[in-house]
Amino acid sequence: MIGEKIREQREMKKISQYAVAYAIGMSQAAYSKIERGETEVKVSHLYSIAAFLGISIYNLLPEAMASGTFEGEYLLKPLVVKLKEIWYGWLVKRRIRQMQQKEQ
């Protein structure tokens, strides 16, 4: 389910699997397995994908998880989510800068 949401967001932005995979530091084959639901996505990769696509992590989560509570407990607290978005956004931007420097 998360993989489908990732693919949907990526395709809406007309970004290739290779570009996302490279930006977050994994192979295109491994990234493709995430989108197809063949492997679980690591939380760190989920935040990096959201940062690269320029969206909130909530856009990638199933409704039950994105609502903020799950079985009476807070699943993702807004402050922690925002801090992680900032951190992984910075990591993705740094990786993109490194890629651009290598190409020159």
Side-chain angles (χ1 to χ4, degrees), residues 24-42:
I24 66 170
M26 69 170 29
S27 71
Q28 185 274 331
Y31 176 81
S32 178
K33 287 181 180 182
I34 290 171
E35 283 194 358
R36 291 193 312 262
E38 294 176 9
T39 187
E40 294 292 322
V41 61
K42 292 180 182 179

Side-chain angles (χ1 to χ4, degrees), residues 24-93:
I24 66 170
M26 69 170 29
S27 71
Q28 185 274 331
Y31 176 81
S32 178
K33 287 181 180 182
I34 290 171
E35 283 194 358
R36 291 193 312 262
E38 294 176 9
T39 187
E40 294 292 322
V41 61
K42 292 180 182 179
V43 173
S44 61
H45 286 146
L46 192 60
Y47 277 98
S48 294
I49 292 167
F52 182 75
L53 296 175
I55 59 174
S56 169
I57 190 169
Y58 288 111
N59 295 91
L60 302 177
L61 297 176
E63 295 299 319
M65 294 174 77
S67 67
T69 62
F70 186 70
E71 296 180 9
E73 294 187 17
Y74 286 99
L75 185 62
L76 296 172
K77 295 184 179 173
L79 180 59
V80 173
V81 170
K82 189 63 179 170
L83 289 173
K84 286 184 177 181
E85 286 174 354
I86 291 168
W87 171 250
Y88 288 109
W90 178 82
L91 289 176
V92 167
K93 288 176 187 173

Side-chain angles (χ1 to χ4, degrees), residues 10-11 13 15 20 27 33-34 66 72 91:
R10 179 185 58 77
E11 288 177 346
K13 295 183 179 287
I15 299 173
V20 178
S27 71
K33 287 181 180 182
I34 290 171
L91 289 176

Side-chain angles (χ1 to χ4, degrees), residues 3-13 35:
E4 292 171 7
K5 289 188 173 246
I6 293 171
R7 179 179 34 239
E8 179 182 293
Q9 292 290 326
R10 179 185 58 77
E11 288 177 346
M12 282 180 15
K13 295 183 179 287
E35 283 194 358

